[in-house]
Amino acid sequence: MAQQVKVPTVGESITEVTIANWLKKDGDVVKMDEVIAELESDKATFELPAPQAGILKITKQQGEVVSIGTVICEIADGAASSVSATASKPTVTVTAPSTPASKPMQTTGAIKEMKVPAVGESITEVTISTWLKKEGDFVKLDEVIAEVESDKATFELPAEANGILRIVAKEKTTLPIGGLICKIEVTDGAPAAVAAPAAQVPAASATATSNVSYASGTPSPAAAKILDEKGIATSQVAGSGIGGRITNDDAVKAQASAPTKESKPAPVLAPPVITSGGSRTERREKMTSLRKTIAKRLVAVKNETAMLTTFNEVDMKPVMDLRSRYKDQFKEKYGVGLGFMSFFTKAICIALKDFPAVNASIDKDEIIYHDYCDVSIAVSTPRGLVVPVIRNAESLTFAQIESEVVRLAGKGRDGKLSIEEMTGGTFSITNGGVFGSMLSTPIINPPQAAILGMHNIVERAVVQKGEVVVRPIMYVALSYDHRIIDGRESVSFLVRVKELLEDPGRLILGV
């Protein structure tokens, strides 16, 4: 009896997966619990084991996007006899499934032009990150042929017809939405090499080729892109995936070692006169789409807003004493550490209610006031700065805020943040103190009107009640858009944050 194999539930927020790779072919004999395929979601790659022994019948092809619970293959009984027969013979015969004979491929004369699709309201251009197919390759309908990268995320590009691929835009080319990427010479039928049945092969060889379809050290397309951005050769990375494949996590964790032959310094125009030892090599790297977009947005903010910055200092001793007193119980109860970010987030949410202009934004000739606090947290990643959003932070507890910070920061560093998680936000926090910054003027994250900069905590001599005492002091900075926030409001907002942090009991009572 044939058993249907469905896409399993792989996470609460995951509704569909892509069949990344079939490790077995249609008609192969599989064993129970043997991995037969890899499924890829927007967050991770999962292995699919066979629920029983038998003969594999594939119903969904590699590259297809399927919903949770969809039947992707069937396993028919009959594995026992097939396995025993294999053991007693030096070779096995792998035959194609019993389908009508494939007709030879013929071009129809039609040309399918593939253009850059609309991938988001604010996205106006993309970069061709990686071609997964070569010029002249035969491609199938809905087969993923390339990866395109915007300033926010990477998208897969499926073929829009069966036929021969003709590439128009090379890798690293930037195209506007609607720009021509490639053409497909539409064909009727498939190439003979695709339609031909497999021949007899030695048993050991058949087993090896059916289990691994890529060489050790081969990166996935997304992993290859990350390594390319880091300037790290694949030979320097040990793959942890099946067959030694380099996964996204391997690429994210990879560190550059000594320069290899892949690292090509830029040509030197004239030989310099060197009087002492030391290297004088240089290298050039093309800016990623994310880095170029960050650069454009930063310049635009400076040019399009009336940005000013006001400063203050906060005595962090009350907060530090409270953390020291309760951090162990907090961690034991909630499973997450008690950091400074939750104190600052709660203080900001209270202050934003008192000064709504700081929580506002400009839309043409209108000011939009928000009665909620969606707080953006700046996170530094290997690819650049990303700003995920904590939604309705004003209604969250300390533990919920800390959990969201850990979750979003982890996804940001792993390159797994969705566009929705980085979209919106009414106010931003950036913490340069983790890198040792004493003082800075943070840049506004448009269309928001203000951003708070945290800095390092240093013991300083201050005067309290007529006496010089040593206190752990943090300088804080508020950059704001003077078009809608007056000086009185900006200074008063920062003073309110200072008061709440220096008397953390107010945060709990909301006074």
Side-chain angles (χ1 to χ4, degrees):
M1 179 179 177
Q3 179 171 345
Q4 293 182 333
V5 181
K6 301 179 180 180
V7 178
T9 302
V10 291
E12 291 183 7
S13 61
I14 298 175
T15 59
E16 62 183 19
V17 300
T18 301
I19 301 177
N21 197 22
W22 279 107
L23 306 182
K24 289 288 186 177
K25 299 190 294 295
D26 196 74
D28 275 359
V29 174
V30 299
K31 301 176 183 178
M32 184 174 179
D33 293 330
E34 183 178 10
V35 178
I36 59 176
E38 286 183 328
L39 307 178
E40 189 175 79
S41 75
D42 59 336
K43 299 177 180 178
T45 300
F46 309 89
E47 295 178 341
L48 181 69
Q52 71 172 30
I55 299 173
L56 179 65
K57 173 66 175 177
I58 295 175
T59 57
K60 297 293 182 181
Q61 300 305 313
Q62 184 171 313
E64 287 193 48
V65 178
V66 292
S67 303
I68 301 300
T70 302
V71 176
I72 60 173
C73 67
E74 296 179 353
I75 299 179
D77 289 337
S81 59
S82 299
V83 173
S84 61
T86 302
S88 62
K89 296 180 182 181
T91 61
V92 295
T93 301
V94 182
T95 59
S98 55
T99 57
S102 300
K103 57 183 177 182
M105 183 179 71
Q106 295 180 344
T107 58
T108 64
I111 301 294
K112 178 65 179 179
E113 293 187 345
M114 291 187 56
K115 299 180 180 180
V116 178
V119 291
E121 291 184 7
S122 61
I123 298 175
T124 59
E125 63 181 19
V126 299
T127 300
I128 308 299
S129 174
T130 306
W131 277 107
L132 307 181
K133 289 289 185 177
K134 300 188 295 294
E135 169 74 15
D137 277 0
F138 174 77
V139 297
K140 299 177 183 178
L141 177 65
D142 293 330
E143 181 180 10
V144 177
I145 60 175
E147 287 184 333
V148 295
E149 181 184 76
S150 76
D151 60 314
K152 297 180 178 178
T154 299
F155 308 89
E156 293 180 337
L157 182 72
E160 297 178 6
N162 294 324
I164 306 301
L165 177 64
R166 301 301 180 194
I167 295 175
V168 176
K170 305 297 183 183
E171 285 187 4
K172 310 306 179 185
T173 301
T174 299
L175 296 174
I177 300 301
L180 183 61
I181 299 178
C182 64
K183 298 179 181 180
I184 297 177
E185 297 177 1
V186 182
T187 62
D188 187 13
V194 175
Q200 281 195 339
V201 293
S205 173
T207 301
T209 55
S210 64
N211 281 336
V212 181
S213 60
Y214 38 73
S216 176
T218 300
S220 67
K225 178 170 65 64
I226 295 173
L227 292 176
D228 181 60
E229 291 174 355
K230 288 184 172 184
I232 301 175
T234 56
S235 59
Q236 297 179 1
V237 183
S240 62
I242 296 176
R245 187 186 193 190
I246 299 174
T247 65
N248 286 16
D249 287 341
D250 297 331
V252 170
K253 296 175 183 176
Q255 298 293 329
S257 58
T260 64
K261 293 182 179 179
E262 281 87 349
S263 299
K264 297 181 180 179
V268 179
L269 299 179
V273 178
I274 302 176
T275 58
S276 61
S279 172
R280 292 180 59 82
T281 60
E282 298 176 351
R283 65 187 179 94
R284 291 175 180 264
E285 292 184 2
K286 187 174 181 179
M287 292 176 68
T288 64
S289 294
L290 176 61
R291 178 59 63 184
K292 286 190 291 186
T293 300
I294 291 173
K296 290 178 182 178
R297 287 168 66 90
L298 294 179
V299 173
V301 171
K302 296 287 287 184
N303 294 335
E304 297 171 8
T305 65
M307 194 180 80
L308 294 178
T309 304
T310 183
F311 305 92
N312 215 315
E313 62 181 16
V314 178
D315 182 355
M316 296 297 293
K317 191 174 189 307
V319 170
M320 295 172 70
D321 288 346
L322 194 63
R323 286 183 67 232
S324 298
R325 193 179 312 143
Y326 297 113
K327 64 180 181 180
D328 293 336
Q329 297 96 314
F330 189 90
K331 180 66 176 291
E332 182 179 350
K333 182 173 182 178
Y334 298 110
V336 64
L338 179 60
F340 292 124
M341 192 58 73
S342 54
F343 286 92
F344 273 85
T345 303
K346 294 295 288 186
I348 284 166
C349 289
I350 294 174
L352 289 176
K353 294 294 184 182
D354 295 339
F355 302 94
V358 184
N359 198 39
S361 59
I362 294 180
D363 183 15
K364 298 179 181 177
D365 58 350
E366 294 180 332
I367 300 176
I368 304 174
Y369 293 95
H370 309 283
D371 62 358
Y372 54 88
C373 302
D374 284 355
V375 180
S376 304
I377 306 293
V379 177
S380 177
T381 75
R383 296 181 63 235
L385 187 71
V386 295
V387 192
V389 181
I390 300 177
R391 308 286 179 187
N392 286 105
E394 78 283 356
S395 63
L396 301 182
T397 64
F398 278 74
Q400 290 171 328
I401 292 172
E402 292 292 351
S403 297
E404 273 294 275
V405 170
V406 171
R407 183 183 71 85
L408 294 172
K411 291 184 69 176
R413 285 187 288 268
D414 293 341
K416 297 178 180 178
L417 285 169
S418 66
I419 292 178
E420 290 74 17
E421 289 172 319
M422 294 185 286
T423 302
T426 61
F427 185 91
S428 291
I429 304 176
T430 181
N431 185 5
V434 296
F435 304 110
S437 172
M438 182 189 77
L439 194 61
S440 66
T441 56
I443 295 181
I444 299 168
N445 180 24
Q448 299 171 20
I451 180 172
L452 181 80
M454 300 167 56
H455 301 92
N456 62 356
I457 301 173
V458 178
E459 289 191 341
R460 306 183 191 280
V462 296
V463 178
Q464 290 186 351
K465 298 180 180 179
E467 296 183 355
V468 176
V469 294
V470 176
R471 287 288 187 269
I473 300 297
M474 175 192 287
Y475 292 141
V476 289
L478 179 75
S479 292
Y480 60 98
D481 190 343
H482 206 354
R483 293 179 299 169
I484 60 174
I485 301 174
D486 295 331
R488 177 187 62 81
E489 291 172 307
S490 63
V491 173
S492 300
F493 172 87
L494 202 55
V495 169
R496 178 68 167 139
V497 172
K498 169 185 170 70
E499 291 173 348
L500 291 166
L501 292 171
E502 291 184 342
D503 186 2
R506 292 187 173 193
L507 296 176
I508 300 171
L509 299 176
V511 297

